Amino acid sequence: MLQCTAFAEVPEMGTLVVLTAMHAEPGPPSVPGVPELPELEDTLLCELGEHDEKTEHAAQLWAGEMAASRDLWMFWTDTDTDTGMRRSFRFAELPPCPAVMRTLATDEREVCVLFDRHSAPHSWDVTDPLADLMAERVREEVERERGGGGGGAGEGREEGEVDGGGGGGTPSG
């Protein structure tokens, strides 16, 4: 399943209020009595797989330490009103999804990185084509820089492009 493509700007004031009110200490305080707040992204992409309009978009805003039992998630919905689209936000501290996918042949385990009781498929069932494309481009660039990807017969052509070789035209009539 493809990843949802909805994104939202992080509401700075609401986020600061929620992070300040959290009981978990994000790090050593630089000012006595005031917890140090983590650096956050300005924009978040929904981490769920494609879903209907009834399901809220969700993105992990902040995760505690590796052994943290709860993470901060931001949820948002867009509602069509008479004056245009209205975006509503809410924040929730939620435990991680307990699901683990185990590959018996290699004994590898992959945990779901979403929140507990999420309505969409587990994170390992969600594919992000943009991230896959970016990873492929980085891999190709590394191969070129190492000198391992050059000199092939199809170098410089896009995937699926065929060398015309002359006289290989398609009849038009």
Side-chain angles (χ1 to χ4, degrees), residues 128-160:
D128 181 356
L130 180 58
D132 294 345
L133 177 64
M134 290 171 44
E136 177 64 21
R137 297 292 167 115
V138 167
R139 186 189 62 75
E140 289 172 356
E141 184 66 26
V142 168
E143 284 181 359
R144 263 195 305 279
E145 286 180 7
R146 291 182 179 167
E155 185 177 10
R157 291 195 197 102
E158 293 294 320
E159 186 175 309

Side-chain angles (χ1 to χ4, degrees), residues 19-102:
L19 284 171
T20 303
M22 286 176 64
H23 297 288
E25 294 182 25
S30 55
V31 177
V34 178
E36 185 176 316
L37 298 175
E39 258 189 57
L40 301 172
E41 298 292 325
D42 293 333
T43 305
L44 295 176
L45 178 65
C46 180
E47 296 181 38
L48 303 176
E50 293 176 313
H51 53 85
D52 60 19
E53 292 99 27
K54 295 175 189 167
T55 303
E56 291 178 296
H57 299 290
Q60 186 180 49
L61 190 59
W62 179 72
E65 297 178 20
M66 294 301 284
S69 61
R70 300 173 82 75
D71 300 322
L72 180 61
W73 285 81
M74 183 177 87
F75 295 88
W76 72 95
T77 55
D78 293 322
T79 308
D80 196 7
T81 66
D82 294 339
T83 59
M85 293 299 282
R86 182 173 183 265
R87 181 164 282 170
S88 301
F89 297 93
R90 74 178 179 91
F91 300 93
E93 274 186 278
L94 298 171
C97 178
V100 177
M101 182 176 64
R102 181 174 170 210

Side-chain angles (χ1 to χ4, degrees), residues 104-115:
L104 295 175
T106 60
D107 198 33
E108 290 180 12
R109 296 165 194 243
E110 186 173 354
V111 299
C112 179
V113 297
L114 300 174
F115 51 92

